[in-house]
Amino acid sequence: MEAVAKKPRSAVSIAGWLGFGFSMLLLFTFLKLPEARLKNLIQGSIASALAPKGIAFSAKESGISVGLGIGIRLEGVEISPPPPQPTVSIERIDFAPSLFGLLFSEYGGKFRIRNAGGSLSGKVTYKKKSGTILVDLGADDFDLGKANFIGAATGIDLSALIDGEVYLEGDPAVPSTLAGNVNLTLSQISMKQQKVAGFPLPPIQASTGKFQLEIKEAGIKIQELRIGKPQASAPTGGAQDDLYLNVIGSATLAKNWESTALNLDTKFGFSQAALKPLALVEALLAPGKQEDGLYAYAIAGTAMSPTPTPNKPAGK
């Protein structure tokens, strides 16, 4: 029985090494191609993969290098999602695929994105057998606005500089399997005047932000989630920045995002300039207004159907 059990494992091992060897043969064949053909091959492969999703791709320069590992370089990258989403512009992307991981049906590698003097780097791995991912990111003064990352993903014209780390593993389609942590610091947060879902929003400026989350055992614990500064010393209270938001609490992750249970306490406010064009919003929020001019609401229910409840001012 032992000999029979070893044969399938041996066959898989041989197949894996054959696949690895074939990949290396293809790689060194590519390296012998003229630079112009190599550039067209790299860009053509990426463009073909994105085209079915309606996304256009181009790069001014590209190439492959071999050192301690394989490296792919792209410069002057532009990624254009379907309208009306803006184009993502990136100065340089370096990617080093993990060839050894192919032996175990794991796809990914290390990357570094450089833009406007900052960088976003890390490692991403997709494990085909389990359907799980591993994401390990580090941001160093990375400007989300210059790259248009948020605009392309959400349609909201929002920018910020970010520093910090994100680590996440599990199956994104099944939130209860996720584990990791988020520790990000934001600065120079800015949103232009615009309409979101048909609703007009004023320009928003906030000096700082902090996201510190722990994800484990099918839950998210918010250690700190804050944007902007309160105007504690002002006679009218409210916010020193155009927006102040502070959230504490937790969420219980379910098998899908819609059923995730919320247990949050929020406190937020706006500057007088930002609040002036939001007269209707101010009236709707009035039940939760506190003596310091900020608004306080508890949020329960699920992510699909959140239930906000105004907190009574202290002493009432």
Side-chain angles (χ1 to χ4, degrees), residues 190-210:
S190 175
M191 185 182 76
K192 295 180 180 179
Q193 183 173 348
Q194 60 194 290
K195 285 187 177 181
V196 176
F199 188 81
L201 294 177
I204 296 291
Q205 302 282 339
S207 55
T208 64
K210 181 72 174 179

Side-chain angles (χ1 to χ4, degrees), residues 16-270:
W17 283 108
L18 286 174
F20 178 75
F22 183 67
S23 300
M24 295 302 295
L25 176 63
L26 287 176
L27 174 66
F28 287 110
T29 300
F30 292 155
L31 291 176
K32 292 182 179 181
L33 292 174
E35 185 174 349
R37 289 186 62 188
L38 188 60
K39 173 182 175 180
N40 292 336
L41 178 65
I42 295 172
Q43 296 191 29
S45 299
I46 298 174
S48 297
L50 295 176
K53 298 177 175 61
I55 301 174
F57 169 87
S58 67
K60 293 181 180 179
E61 298 292 338
S62 58
I64 294 181
S65 60
V66 179
L68 296 177
I70 308 302
I72 299 173
R73 171 182 53 83
L74 299 168
E75 296 185 42
V77 176
E78 290 196 346
I79 302 171
S80 301
Q85 310 297 63
T87 296
V88 173
S89 301
I90 302 171
E91 292 175 5
R92 175 166 174 164
I93 301 175
D94 293 285
F95 180 67
S98 174
L99 299 179
F100 186 72
L102 296 174
L103 296 173
F104 308 98
S105 298
E106 296 181 1
Y107 308 96
K110 296 180 179 179
F111 71 91
R112 186 179 186 187
I113 300 173
R114 307 180 197 185
N115 219 48
S119 66
L120 181 68
S121 59
K123 176 182 179 181
V124 177
T125 302
Y126 170 68
K127 300 179 180 181
K128 184 178 180 180
K129 292 181 180 179
S130 61
T132 60
I133 63 165
L134 184 151
V135 178
D136 191 358
L137 305 179
D140 181 13
D141 212 24
F142 188 73
D143 193 330
L144 293 173
K146 291 289 185 182
N148 270 334
F149 277 9
I150 298 178
T154 67
I156 300 175
D157 192 344
L158 178 68
S159 67
L161 293 179
I162 62 169
D163 288 272
E165 301 84 32
V166 174
Y167 180 85
L168 188 67
E169 59 179 323
D171 185 349
V174 186
S176 57
T177 67
L178 297 176
N181 53 73
V182 176
N183 189 0
L184 294 175
T185 300
L186 283 68
S187 61
Q188 300 181 30
I189 304 165
S190 175
M191 185 182 76
K192 295 180 180 179
Q193 183 173 348
Q194 60 194 290
K195 285 187 177 181
V196 176
F199 188 81
L201 294 177
I204 296 291
Q205 302 282 339
S207 55
T208 64
K210 181 72 174 179
F211 292 176
Q212 193 168 357
L213 315 175
E214 183 181 29
I215 307 168
K216 66 177 183 179
E217 298 176 353
I220 301 177
K221 182 181 179 182
I222 300 176
Q223 297 170 327
E224 185 176 7
L225 197 163
R226 174 184 50 79
I227 296 175
K229 297 177 180 178
Q231 184 86 315
S233 59
T236 56
Q240 178 178 333
D241 292 324
D242 288 327
L243 170 66
Y244 169 71
L245 170 67
N246 188 53
V247 181
I248 59 173
S250 62
T252 302
L253 297 172
K255 291 184 177 181
N256 56 71
W257 290 104
E258 294 82 358
S259 301
T260 293
L262 307 176
N263 180 23
L264 308 175
D265 278 303
T266 67
K267 197 167 187 180
F268 56 93
F270 307 91

